[in-house]
Amino acid sequence: AGGNDRYVRATDRYKPTTSKIQLDTDEVIAEVRIPYEVLEDNIEKGNMTETILALIAERAALDLEELIIKGDTAIVGSDPYLGLMNGILKLINTHTVDASGVTSYVNLFNTIKKTLPTKYRRNLAVQRFITSMDFESDYRVQVALRNSILGDTVLAGNDPLPVLGVPLVGAALMPTTNIIFTNPQNIIFGIQRNIRIEQDRDIRSREVVIVLTARVALAIEEVDAAVIASNVGVAAP
């Protein structure tokens, strides 16, 4: 058009396909009751409530991690809390690796890595092998036993251990039989409003009542960009 070689016809143009992820939150509630006598007789006296609040926050973080990892709506009858939503062990189901009979961790990591579509492997620095803390520790020990500078570094260091160019990190409540391979930012955990911690007194039962509530949701942004390995057992480096 008019000799302008920069012009591209509408039929030759491409545009990205966009989508959105909807998070439907569920409310989680935790309740702690502290008898008056406990607050009156402990050595911390008035500071006891603050100590308990700190412990509640720490425990809540652990419980939310358990829900994120192990949530399963199929067990709502036997475990109403974990049955609230599906966790990452259920949501990541497109690319799977069965580690039964694997005798080498290196070969297992290599299989997991190659199972992820190539287009997501361009930047390995953002990917993570997410394992149980026991698995991470056992693998670190095996690498540390090597008679090399690497072995000494791994034994004394506290940084994530790289495996085939991908950092390996341990999650407190990840089952020892599973490994997740993905970019952690692919896991979307939403909190609809601030976590609330409210206090009241039950004068009839003579207790201080502390209630924590939160509305939370979980989703995987791109299921195609994640791999899960199951039946992971003991193997050699």
Side-chain angles (χ1 to χ4, degrees), residues 11-26:
T11 55
D12 294 330
R13 297 174 187 172
Y14 291 89
K15 63 180 180 179
T17 300
T18 59
S19 61
K20 65 179 181 179
I21 295 175
Q22 179 172 319
L23 297 177
D24 297 317
T25 59
D26 292 288

Side-chain angles (χ1 to χ4, degrees), residues 45-79:
K45 299 300 180 181
N47 294 327
M48 182 64 177
T49 301
E50 296 303 318
T51 298
I52 292 174
L53 287 173
L55 293 173
I56 290 174
E58 182 178 336
R59 180 66 206 190
L62 195 65
D63 287 344
L64 287 174
E65 179 182 325
E66 182 180 29
L67 182 62
I68 291 170
I69 294 174
K70 299 181 179 179
D72 185 352
T73 56
I75 64 171
V76 65
S78 59
D79 193 326

Side-chain angles (χ1 to χ4, degrees), residues 23-183:
L23 297 177
D24 297 317
T25 59
D26 292 288
E27 187 171 41
V28 293
I29 302 174
E31 179 181 306
V32 177
R33 289 179 171 265
I34 311 168
Y36 285 0
E37 292 81 359
V38 172
L39 296 176
E40 294 169 355
D41 299 341
N42 77 91
I43 60 174
E44 291 191 69
K45 299 300 180 181
N47 294 327
M48 182 64 177
T49 301
E50 296 303 318
T51 298
I52 292 174
L53 287 173
L55 293 173
I56 290 174
E58 182 178 336
R59 180 66 206 190
L62 195 65
D63 287 344
L64 287 174
E65 179 182 325
E66 182 180 29
L67 182 62
I68 291 170
I69 294 174
K70 299 181 179 179
D72 185 352
T73 56
I75 64 171
V76 65
S78 59
D79 193 326
Y81 175 64
L82 290 182
L84 278 175
M85 64 183 67
N86 284 326
I88 60 176
L89 295 181
K90 297 289 290 186
L91 295 175
I92 298 176
N93 51 28
T94 300
H95 304 298
T96 62
V97 173
D98 185 355
S100 299
V102 173
T103 58
S104 168
Y105 285 142
V106 172
N107 288 339
L108 173 59
F109 283 125
N110 190 42
T111 299
I112 295 172
K113 178 180 175 182
K114 292 195 297 184
T115 300
L116 188 72
T118 307
K119 60 183 177 181
Y120 301 115
R121 283 188 261 150
R122 289 181 58 253
N123 187 3
L124 290 177
V126 302
Q127 305 291 340
R128 294 291 184 275
F129 286 116
I130 305 174
T131 72
S132 70
M133 296 190 75
D134 284 350
F135 182 99
E136 190 275 343
S137 183
D138 289 342
Y139 186 77
R140 185 178 290 271
V141 167
Q142 291 196 10
V143 175
L145 290 175
R146 296 177 179 177
N147 187 19
S148 64
I149 296 177
L150 174 61
D152 293 338
T153 301
V154 170
L155 182 62
N158 194 37
D159 295 329
L161 178 63
V163 181
L164 302 178
V166 179
L168 184 150
V169 296
L173 294 176
M174 179 68 71
T176 57
T177 55
N178 290 109
I179 297 175
I180 299 293
F181 179 44
T182 192
N183 181 342

Side-chain angles (χ1 to χ4, degrees), residues 23 25 64 188-196 213-218:
L23 297 177
T25 59
L64 287 174
I188 302 174
F189 180 66
I191 299 178
Q192 186 164 343
R193 57 166 166 76
N194 290 337
I195 296 176
R196 294 175 181 168
T213 62
R215 295 180 65 187
V216 299
L218 177 71

